[in-house]
Amino acid sequence: MPLDAHPSAPAPATVRDLRFAIEEFNFEYAAVLDAGKVADWPNFFTDDALYVVTGRENADANLPVGLVYCEGIGMLKDRALAIAKSMMFAPRYMQHQFSNVRILALEADGTIVARTNYVLYQTLVDEKTTIQQVGRYDDRFVRRDKRLLLRARRCVYDSLIIDTALIYPV
Amino acid sequence: MPDDLTKTSGKNEPDYIWPNDDLQLIPDWVYTSQAIYERELERIFHGRTWNFVALEAEIPEPGSFKRSFVGPTPVVVARDLDGSVRVFENRCAHRGAEMCRPAAGKVKEFVCPYHQWTYDLAGNLIGVPFRRGLNKQGGMPADFRPEEHNLRQLGVTTRRGVVFASFCHDMESLEDYLGKDVLEDFDATFDGRKLKILGYYRNTVPSNWKMYHENLKDPYHATLLHAFLVNFGLMVAGNKCAMIVDPSGRHGTLASAKPEEKLQVDDYAKKQMRAFSDKMELADRRFLDYVKEFKSPWSVTMQTIWPNLIVQRELNTLGVRHIVPQGPNEFLMIWVMFGYGGDSDEMVRHRLRQGNLMGPSGFLGLEDNEALKFVQQGMARSLSDTSYVALGDREEGTAHHIITEGGIRSMYRHYRGVMGL
C-alpha cells in the first residue's frame, strides 16, 4: 500500500527518522548474525515476539506454516541454542544485505510497521558463494527503553526452493 | 584391499554386478550411475508403483488443479466436474510444451499457451485452433481425430484424502500395494478427519533419492545424529520403538513412543550417544508436547512409501514429503504440511510450533539433509566403492529394536529384483 494511502501514514520527516532508525537496527542485526553470534540474536526481539520464516507462496495464499516458527523469546533462544550447541551442519559464513526500507505505518501505540528487502548470501567454506534467499522482512517494531525491538518479524522468501538446508536465522 | 586391485572396472564404468551378492554391501553405483537412474525411471517410477501426487485437500473443487510429478515426470492433478481426480502428463500433445505452469489454481479447461490446444479436466483434447484451416487452406488433415491426441492419462487411486497415480494401468489396489502393517499406520495418520493444508516447504538435497528412504529405514542414526531427540527425551536408545517393514520390503514405518516420564538413560547408552547431555534444557518446552489424538501406540511414525512418499507424523506435526528425483545426484522434496479441519486455533499453532522439528530448517530435518549431502559427496569423490550395512547382521523385515539396518537390506532385496541387479 502506498504510504500516503495508509490511514496512519506518518509525516515525511518522521518517515526519514524512522527509516534511519530501522536501517541502523537491521545493520546491527546483520552484524550479529553475520559474525556468527547467534546467541545474541534473541536480544533484538520482545519477550512476546513472533518470528517466522516462510515462502512467498504460503504468504500469498495465507497459509500459516513457517520453515521457522517461533512464538515468544523462549523459542528464539532454543533455536539459537540448538544452532550453537546441538545441531550438525557443515561450516559456513552468512551475509545479509538490505534495501528498499519502507515505513508502512506508525500506529497509535507507537508500533512501526515496516518492510525491508533482503538478500542472504551463503558461503560454505569449501564451495562458491550462493544466494541462499531473496526475500523481505515484514516487521512490527516497538520501543522499549528508547530501543527499538522487534515484536514481529516475518521473513518471506521468494526463493521457494531451499538449497539443502537453512541453518542460521534470516 | 586386495579386491580393489583385481577389479577390472571402476565405479565410473561399473559392470553392475552386486559385490559378493551380499546385502550388507551396497555398491556406490546405485547412487551415482546415470544408467542405473534411467533404469529406475523405467522400472520403478514409470513402472508398477503407486506414486504420491497430491492431497485431495489441495484440489477441493471441480476445476482445482495442482502441478505435480511422478518421478521427475511433470503431471497435472485435477478435479473433474464429477468430483473424480484425474492425473495426466503435463505435456501438450502438439509440440510437447510443459503447458501448465502455476503450482496450483482453478480452471475450466487447460489451454497450452503456445498454440492454444485445449484440454478438458481429464486431459482430453477438446479444441485445436484453425483445425479446418483458413479460407479452405491449411488446417489439420481430414482424418485427424482429436480423441487420438489426448494427454497421456495415468491410473489414479485415493485413500483417506491422499492421491496416488501410476503409469501402469493394471496396478493392484493401494491396500494390497502397501500391505496390512504399513496401511495400519497410514490410516492412523489419515484417520478420516478432513485435512487442512497449512503450507509448503520445498528444498533440494544433493543426494540420491533412495538415500532419503534409507535414512528413514535407519533408526540407528536417530539417537546418534539428532542430539535434539536425545537431549530432550523424544527418542532415546531404549525407547519403545519399531522398524516395521511390509512383506515386499519396499515400504516401511519407523515408529517410536515418547516416554511418559523422562527416560532414565543408563551409563552404557549415555556413553554410546555422544550427543547426550543431561544439562541441556529448553526455554520453551512446548516444542515437545504431545496431544494424544491418534489411535496408535506410537507418538511418532515416519512412513517410507515406495517410491516417492514420506508420511510424517512427528508428535502433532504432520506432513507429506514428495520426493522428485532430479538425476542420480539430486532430488527435490516438496513438503505439504497439514492439520485437520476441526483443529482449534491453538492446535494449529501447536502444529506450527512443533513444525520447527522438521523441514529443511528443522532441528532434525536440516541435519538429515546435511548428512545425506556428505554421503553423496563421499561416494562421488573417493576411490572406495561400497557402503557397509551390517547392523543386525543379516536380519530383514520388521524389527522391534533400533540398532539395525534390516529395513535398508529389505529395500535392496526388493530393489534388486525389480531392477534385475
Side-chain angles (χ1 to χ4, degrees):
Chain A
M1 188 186 307
L3 187 56
D4 55 4
H6 200 285
S8 46
T14 311
V15 170
R16 194 170 57 231
D17 289 348
L18 291 176
R19 193 164 65 211
F20 181 79
I22 285 168
E23 280 196 311
E24 287 291 292
F25 179 97
N26 282 336
F27 293 163
E28 287 306 310
Y29 180 97
V32 162
L33 285 178
D34 296 351
K37 293 191 247 173
V38 69
D40 293 338
W41 166 68
N43 298 336
F44 290 95
F45 294 84
T46 63
D47 287 350
D48 61 351
L50 178 71
Y51 175 80
V52 179
V53 182
T54 197
R56 185 162 168 177
E57 62 180 333
N58 298 320
D60 288 351
N62 284 320
L63 294 170
V65 85
L67 200 64
V68 180
Y69 185 94
C70 298
E71 264 182 14
I73 201 161
M75 289 195 174
L76 291 160
K77 286 180 177 168
D78 287 335
R79 188 161 272 273
L81 178 76
I83 295 166
K85 303 274 187 203
S86 125
M87 293 200 292
M88 189 293 292
F89 52 87
R92 68 199 65 203
Y93 308 125
M94 306 302 290
Q95 195 175 118
H96 291 72
Q97 292 193 353
F98 302 119
S99 66
N100 303 44
V101 181
R102 293 171 67 219
I103 310 302
L104 300 181
L106 179 58
E107 296 181 347
D109 67 354
T111 300
I112 305 158
V113 183
R115 174 173 286 185
T116 300
N117 289 0
Y118 66 79
V119 181
L120 179 56
Y121 298 95
Q122 172 168 280
T123 311
L124 278 88
V125 295
D126 55 356
E127 293 182 23
K128 288 178 182 166
T129 299
T130 57
I131 293 176
Q132 172 73 8
Q133 286 201 341
V134 175
R136 66 173 198 254
Y137 292 142
D138 282 339
D139 291 333
R140 296 179 66 79
F141 288 94
V142 294
R143 282 189 197 279
R144 295 277 191 275
D145 304 328
K146 295 186 179 171
R147 265 191 78 198
L148 283 180
L149 289 177
L150 282 164
R151 184 127 191 244
R153 169 157 278 181
R154 286 168 59 85
C155 312
V156 178
Y157 55 88
D158 291 358
S159 322
L160 293 182
I161 298 178
I162 305 265
D163 176 5
T164 313
L166 177 71
I167 312 287
Y168 289 102
V170 177
Chain B
M1 289 205 244
D3 277 353
D4 287 336
L5 298 174
T6 58
K7 272 176 42 160
T8 54
S9 57
K11 62 179 170 183
N12 294 323
E13 295 171 55
D15 41 19
Y16 302 126
I17 293 173
W18 210 275
N20 304 337
D21 199 31
D22 185 346
L23 287 169
Q24 292 188 346
L25 293 176
I26 304 174
D28 284 2
W29 44 256
V30 305
Y31 306 105
T32 58
S33 158
Q34 181 68 25
I36 289 292
Y37 173 72
E38 284 165 15
R39 197 185 296 185
E40 288 170 349
L41 296 188
E42 177 201 331
R43 298 195 184 185
I44 297 171
F45 294 102
H46 299 158
R48 294 198 61 86
T49 51
W50 281 119
N51 290 264
F52 170 81
V53 288
L55 297 175
E56 286 200 70
E58 295 179 277
I59 46 165
E61 294 160 14
S64 299
F65 72 89
K66 175 192 178 184
R67 189 179 178 189
S68 187
F69 301 90
V70 171
T73 306
V75 298
V76 176
V77 185
R79 187 167 304 270
D80 209 342
L81 295 175
D82 65 359
S84 60
V85 180
R86 310 287 192 170
V87 180
F88 47 85
E89 256 191 333
N90 187 359
R91 179 202 148 105
C92 182
H94 178 214
R95 298 306 307 271
E98 195 178 314
M99 57 184 229
C100 175
R101 307 305 299 194
K106 195 174 171 189
V107 292
K108 289 196 170 67
E109 58 200 12
F110 292 94
V111 183
C112 178
Y114 195 5
H115 305 93
Q116 294 175 15
W117 282 36
T118 302
Y119 303 88
D120 69 12
L121 296 171
N124 299 312
L125 180 62
I126 54 171
V128 175
F130 298 109
R131 181 179 165 187
R132 314 279 177 212
L134 193 59
N135 299 328
K136 297 187 179 169
Q137 289 182 301
M140 296 300 281
D143 61 355
F144 170 71
R145 296 188 193 290
E147 63 272 22
E148 290 171 1
H149 300 273
N150 296 332
L151 300 181
R152 183 166 176 161
Q153 295 166 14
L154 284 79
V156 180
T157 191
T158 63
R159 185 174 176 87
R160 307 280 182 92
V162 189
V163 184
F164 296 84
S166 182
F167 278 102
C168 175
H169 283 274
D170 62 344
M171 280 295 294
E172 66 266 37
S173 71
L174 182 74
E175 292 71 21
D176 288 347
Y177 179 73
L178 294 180
K180 178 173 67 67
D181 294 345
V182 168
L183 188 65
E184 185 179 317
D185 288 312
F186 182 90
D187 284 351
T189 303
F190 301 104
D191 59 7
R193 284 180 284 173
K194 203 168 161 34
L195 303 188
K196 184 174 162 60
I197 306 296
L198 299 179
Y200 296 84
Y201 316 144
R202 297 170 198 269
N203 66 279
T204 51
V205 180
S207 160
N208 185 270
W209 65 275
K210 295 186 294 300
M211 274 304 302
Y212 207 88
H213 285 266
E214 291 174 48
N215 185 58
L216 288 169
K217 294 174 188 290
D218 160 19
Y220 179 52
H221 87 281
T223 62
L224 300 170
L225 173 62
H226 299 312
F228 193 95
L229 280 183
V230 178
N231 288 327
F232 305 125
L234 285 179
M235 186 171 177
V236 181
N239 269 20
K240 186 176 170 235
C241 50
M243 181 64 234
I244 297 160
V245 179
D246 84 303
S248 78
R250 62 196 153 177
H251 314 298
T253 305
L254 199 170
S256 69
K258 186 189 173 197
E260 301 278 334
E261 308 285 321
K262 193 167 181 182
L263 200 76
Q264 294 306 309
V265 182
D266 70 31
D267 287 342
Y268 170 76
K270 273 186 196 172
K271 216 169 155 189
Q272 300 300 311
M273 299 185 290
R274 295 165 68 101
F276 186 84
S277 159
D278 286 330
K279 296 185 183 66
M280 278 187 78
E281 281 295 338
L282 285 174
D284 192 329
R285 295 187 59 84
R286 289 181 296 174
F287 286 127
L288 311 179
D289 290 346
Y290 178 46
V291 179
K292 286 187 181 167
E293 57 173 330
F294 304 102
K295 288 192 185 103
S296 169
W298 309 114
S299 51
V300 175
T301 56
M302 291 291 168
Q303 295 202 279
T304 39
I305 296 184
W306 188 258
N308 75 338
L309 174 64
I310 311 299
V311 179
Q312 164 198 319
R313 176 163 78 77
E314 172 78 33
L315 306 173
N316 303 108
T317 179
L318 310 170
V320 288
R321 309 177 192 168
H322 181 178
I323 298 170
V324 183
Q326 314 275 295
N329 298 305
E330 184 175 89
F331 61 89
L332 170 67
M333 178 154 278
I334 303 168
W335 305 61
V336 190
M337 307 306 291
F338 62 88
Y340 302 104
D343 287 347
S344 66
D345 287 351
E346 173 52 27
M347 191 63 186
V348 171
R349 283 166 48 207
H350 173 55
R351 296 194 201 284
L352 300 179
R353 290 191 297 262
Q354 214 154 52
N356 283 290
L357 299 176
M358 291 298 172
S361 201
F363 294 135
L364 315 179
L366 76 82
E367 294 181 318
D368 289 321
N369 292 3
E370 287 286 286
L372 265 50
K373 175 177 178 177
F374 297 174
V375 168
Q376 197 75 12
Q377 286 186 333
M379 288 173 178
R381 309 210 278 212
S382 57
L383 286 179
S384 309
D385 57 7
T386 52
S387 53
Y388 181 45
V389 287
L391 283 164
D393 199 1
R394 287 180 163 75
E395 70 180 15
E396 292 175 40
T398 295
H400 292 278
H401 62 98
I402 64 166
I403 313 301
T404 182
E405 287 158 338
I408 296 174
R409 287 188 293 274
S410 299
M411 184 185 103
Y412 276 104
R413 183 171 299 288
H414 170 79
Y415 176 86
R416 290 181 62 186
V418 172
M419 292 286 286
L421 292 168

